[in-house]
Amino acid sequence: MEDIKMDSLITILAYVEDLGFTSQFEVNNNILVSLKTNHHFMPNQLKIAHYYRFEGESSQDDSSIMYAIETDDHEKGTLIDGYGTAADTATSDFMRAVNDIHK
């Protein structure tokens, strides 16, 4: 992925959507679920194509991380989680189990 100005989560989200990452994902019961297709994925079925971390200017609680994910059936989308103290434990644990990570 090319270098872009990472000035906001919205800017990066629009950028990766233009690259085809149009699905949204969430972690439920230790499984990644596509909100677009309702397909379910385990960590070994994913590639993190890129990730972006944002730090809140006024509070660490505003920190977040966005993952651009491609699944083994070629579905591409994003997952957004808090970062640090704002992280969702289940989501963070699931993403730590993904071995195929690119930046």
Side-chain angles (χ1 to χ4, degrees), residues 28-53:
N28 286 322
N29 299 318
N30 299 318
I31 297 171
L32 188 76
V33 179
S34 168
L35 300 178
K36 185 176 186 178
T37 64
N38 200 36
H39 291 164
H40 295 73
F41 305 97
M42 298 303 293
N44 65 337
Q45 296 175 291
L46 307 177
K47 173 175 79 172
I48 299 173
H50 208 78
Y51 59 92
Y52 303 88
R53 192 174 80 184

Side-chain angles (χ1 to χ4, degrees), residues 90-101:
T91 299
S92 297
D93 290 347
F94 181 91
M95 295 309 290
R96 274 194 294 278
V98 176
N99 291 320
D100 194 356
I101 302 172

Side-chain angles (χ1 to χ4, degrees), residues 47-100:
K47 173 175 79 172
I48 299 173
H50 208 78
Y51 59 92
Y52 303 88
R53 192 174 80 184
F54 301 90
E55 296 181 12
E57 291 182 25
S58 60
S59 170
Q60 287 185 331
D61 292 338
D62 294 336
S63 298
S64 61
I65 187 165
M66 186 194 73
Y67 300 96
I69 296 170
E70 185 171 355
T71 68
D72 63 354
D73 68 357
H74 306 290
E75 184 172 357
K76 294 167 71 173
T78 57
L79 173 68
I80 300 170
D81 189 19
Y83 191 80
T85 59
D88 175 74
T89 305
T91 299
S92 297
D93 290 347
F94 181 91
M95 295 309 290
R96 274 194 294 278
V98 176
N99 291 320
D100 194 356

Side-chain angles (χ1 to χ4, degrees), residues 1-6 12 15 50 52:
M1 293 188 178
E2 66 185 67
D3 289 334
I4 59 169
K5 185 176 179 182
M6 290 184 30
I12 300 302
Y15 172 72
H50 208 78
Y52 303 88

